[in-house]
Amino acid sequence: MSDGGHVWWEDAVVYEVYPRSFADENSDGVGDLPGLRSRLDYLADLGVDAIWLTPFYPSPLADGGYDVSDYCAVDPLLGTMADFDHLVKDGAALRIRVIVDLVPNHCSSAHPLFRAALAAPPGSPERARFIFRDGRGPGGELPPNNWESQFGGSAWTRVTEADGHPGQWYLHLYDSGQPDWDWRNPDVPALFEDVIGFWLDRGVAGLRVDVAHGIYKDPDLPDIVGTHPLNAPSPYRHRPELHALFRTWRAILDSYPADGFPGARTAVGEVWYDRPETLMPYLAPGGLPQVFNFQLLLPAWRAAAFRGAIDSALAVTSGSRAPWLIGNHDVPRPASRYRLDEGFTPQMISRLVALGDRNAETGARRARAAALVLLALPGSAYIYQGEELGLPEVTDIPAAARQDPTFRRTHGESPGRDGGPVRYRLWIQPNGRGFPPGRPLAARAGGLGTLLCRVPARRRAVDPEPVPCGPAAAPRAPGPGPGHPALARLRPGAAVLGAGAGLRPRREPRDGSGTAAGSPRDPARQRARHRRRPAA
């Protein structure tokens, strides 16, 4: 915590990294933690306050790493725990914090506890950690209810029991390789308290909580009746039980020292919603420090739509409690999304595939303006890797190369999300090592030059001396006019946008100390946390 009670995450710029496609140090075709570590200077020059690492844990990759088979380890393809520790240490020396992804709604079907559940009989303690139910209809041949997977098809998969006969069904709101935990079983929250403590004890500054709005399910598992918006409150979305859990997690975060580096620990929840007011319970005192604000992902390219998105978000909370973003690994990249004159929907990617390379310059120009809006708004902002380069979505991926489970589960009707996180390999190392030929690289696939030339580390007043960036002036941003309160605190560097120029950073002085202050949380709490429980 700095002078005046300011907390670093209140106005931080956080850079989302998909490690498998960021930088490949050992030339095996997979990005890795040493590769990311070798590019920390680039991120420091960009001026980010923190990096958010999407899952780097062991995983069969049924869903790009969001199917975790060991929550307290590093996937050997991506490095070692020593590599992670070095990443945290080197980041701290550059005043860059590390945020890790927590995936509490589901694990991998390869997780040892789920394998134990499959081997155990119905009604066993092993199965009670997950949501197993008998089927409906003759012989239990129908799923327990009509819930659908967000990736397409039924949210239930039937198992074969030890005697070889079809048996119970297990719930997976996503892929069948991602069984949902049963958070009403005390083993599960206890397990995740250990996971949270494990990574905080290694020096991370916070957590990004995957599917934070979907962890608890109605214990009666009722059918969904009628047409129901996906992200509206439901038997498996926005359950009231969530908030007691998040208060417990907040107490863990707050038990770590706020003085020194990395400062007060944070957690930002991925909470998709039907309308901003649905976020209100998540913003109550004592809950998660932050939840994502997805309003700027949604509007069509119209000034009134942008202004409405901003106003509706600020009517609920500030950008400090609900950070802003214009892209992430789940949606098409802004430079492609803005080629279309429509708001984001899950069906947009199919239309982008059909569009091909048309309207590319329009999308790039609009993405620059949207980035200006993003960095002008008060509060915190998240940037997805490659957005600063203006990278478009890769849309010409052959069917055989698609990896997203949505493509498989919809039988090809939806192309899925491979065009953003998986297909772009951002860096080849100066020594010639790196991703092998044949993979798209930002240097030759983007073609737009640098979109964001500088992201400030702290943004509290107008930069008196903006640094020019390339020959092209930034287009006027859509949305609120100069007198609107949303733009009252223009961030230093926010106007530094353009094409065809390298990074031109002007950073705050960094003291270079980079060491985490204080010791782990209260030893009594830590000892209590390590009571006997299932392994993570």
Side-chain angles (χ1 to χ4, degrees):
M1 185 173 294
S2 62
D3 293 341
H6 173 264
V7 180
W8 69 271
W9 46 258
E10 291 178 341
D11 58 0
V13 171
V14 182
Y15 188 95
E16 178 189 354
V17 175
Y18 187 79
R20 297 174 188 275
S21 62
F22 187 76
D24 179 11
E25 178 69 17
N26 61 5
S27 302
D28 65 354
V30 179
D32 46 43
L33 297 186
L36 170 58
R37 185 183 170 202
S38 74
R39 292 296 173 176
L40 286 175
D41 282 341
Y42 164 78
L43 297 175
D45 286 345
L46 198 59
V48 303
D49 299 281
I51 54 175
W52 152 29
L53 294 184
T54 61
F56 53 91
Y57 318 114
S59 168
L61 298 180
D63 181 25
Y66 281 91
D67 49 316
V68 179
S69 57
D70 186 341
Y71 287 91
C72 295
V74 174
D75 189 323
L77 282 174
L78 305 187
T80 65
M81 192 62 74
D83 291 326
F84 177 84
D85 292 338
H86 287 309
L87 176 67
V88 172
K89 181 179 179 181
D90 290 356
L94 294 169
R95 308 294 290 178
I96 296 175
R97 300 161 177 87
V98 175
I99 294 171
V100 299
D101 226 313
L102 184 72
V103 187
N105 179 70
H106 48 260
C107 64
S108 167
S109 56
H111 193 287
L113 292 182
F114 188 72
R115 288 182 169 176
L118 292 179
S124 63
E126 291 82 0
R127 289 204 175 181
R129 296 180 188 124
F130 300 90
I131 302 178
F132 280 85
R133 294 292 187 273
D134 294 332
R136 299 188 293 189
E141 63 187 22
L142 299 176
N145 65 25
N146 67 351
W147 295 2
E148 295 181 350
S149 162
Q150 189 162 325
F151 291 159
S154 174
W156 296 91
T157 290
R158 198 173 192 186
V159 304
T160 299
E161 303 293 359
D163 62 4
H165 290 87
Q168 289 190 306
W169 300 70
Y170 68 89
L171 178 69
H172 51 87
L173 290 181
Y174 294 88
D175 188 64
S176 57
Q178 297 169 287
D180 284 28
W181 295 100
D182 187 349
W183 276 83
R184 299 179 190 281
N185 185 310
D187 286 350
V188 177
L191 183 154
F192 277 89
E193 285 184 25
D194 277 349
V195 172
I196 292 170
F198 178 86
W199 292 109
L200 291 175
D201 288 349
R202 301 196 86 89
V204 306
L207 314 165
R208 180 265 188 183
V209 183
D210 189 57
V211 196
H213 57 310
I215 297 172
Y216 275 92
K217 284 78 180 177
D218 186 321
D220 295 330
L221 302 177
D223 279 345
I224 298 295
V225 179
T227 302
H228 192 84
L230 173 64
N231 293 309
S234 74
Y236 52 84
R237 291 285 187 260
H238 305 293
R239 297 288 303 170
E241 302 94 322
L242 286 168
H243 305 296
L245 173 67
F246 294 154
R247 287 192 292 272
T248 299
W249 291 0
R250 179 62 178 268
I252 296 174
L253 295 168
D254 289 349
S255 68
Y256 285 78
D259 295 332
F261 193 87
R265 278 36 165 205
T266 190
V268 56
E270 182 201 26
V271 179
W272 289 92
Y273 47 86
D274 54 335
R275 53 197 183 98
E277 291 76 12
T278 301
L279 290 177
M280 291 299 293
Y282 297 89
L283 301 169
L288 294 179
Q290 298 175 294
V291 293
F292 279 119
N293 159 18
F294 294 120
Q295 290 303 94
L296 288 182
L297 290 179
L298 304 176
W301 190 256
R302 291 190 294 273
F306 264 67
R307 178 164 187 160
I310 293 167
D311 284 346
S312 62
L314 292 177
V316 172
T317 189
S318 70
S320 295
R321 291 296 310 279
W324 306 91
L325 68 163
I326 59 173
N328 64 20
H329 63 274
D330 280 327
V331 300
R333 290 184 174 275
S336 291
R337 203 167 71 240
Y338 296 137
R339 296 179 186 182
L340 299 174
D341 295 322
E342 61 186 67
F344 169 72
T345 65
Q347 294 74 39
M348 173 181 276
I349 184 60
S350 296
R351 289 190 281 278
L352 287 174
V353 169
L355 187 68
D357 292 332
R358 297 192 299 276
N359 299 345
E361 181 53 38
T362 296
R365 188 171 61 251
R366 290 173 172 179
R368 294 185 192 109
L372 172 58
V373 173
L374 173 74
L375 295 179
L377 290 168
S380 176
Y382 276 64
I383 298 170
Y384 180 47
Q385 69 179 41
E387 282 180 15
E388 78 279 13
L389 302 173
L391 297 186
E393 193 85 355
V394 180
T395 56
D396 58 347
I397 303 173
R402 291 196 176 273
Q403 303 171 22
D404 193 292
T406 305
F407 180 75
R408 182 183 72 254
R409 293 183 64 85
T410 62
H411 306 289
E413 287 186 18
S414 173
R417 302 157 295 170
D418 289 320
V422 176
R423 299 298 294 174
Y424 271 125
R425 271 62 178 171
L426 259 67
W427 291 104
I428 289 180
Q429 307 295 45
N431 58 13
R433 298 198 303 268
F435 294 112
R439 301 294 184 94
L441 292 162
R444 64 171 180 262
L448 299 173
T450 298
L451 179 68
L452 301 180
C453 294
R454 177 156 59 94
V455 176
R458 290 281 294 281
R459 302 150 314 277
R460 294 199 188 184
V462 175
D463 189 343
E465 299 178 14
V467 179
C469 178
R476 182 177 179 179
H484 191 275
L487 301 184
R489 294 194 297 162
L490 184 65
R491 299 171 176 184
V496 188
L497 299 167
L503 296 176
R504 298 283 300 278
R506 185 187 318 128
R507 302 188 304 277
E508 283 195 332
R510 304 178 186 273
D511 64 17
S513 62
T515 57
S519 58
R521 79 184 107 152
D522 178 67
R525 177 190 290 275
Q526 195 168 7
R527 285 193 298 271
R529 182 169 57 79
H530 286 288
R531 60 187 180 276
R532 184 180 179 85
R533 61 184 62 162

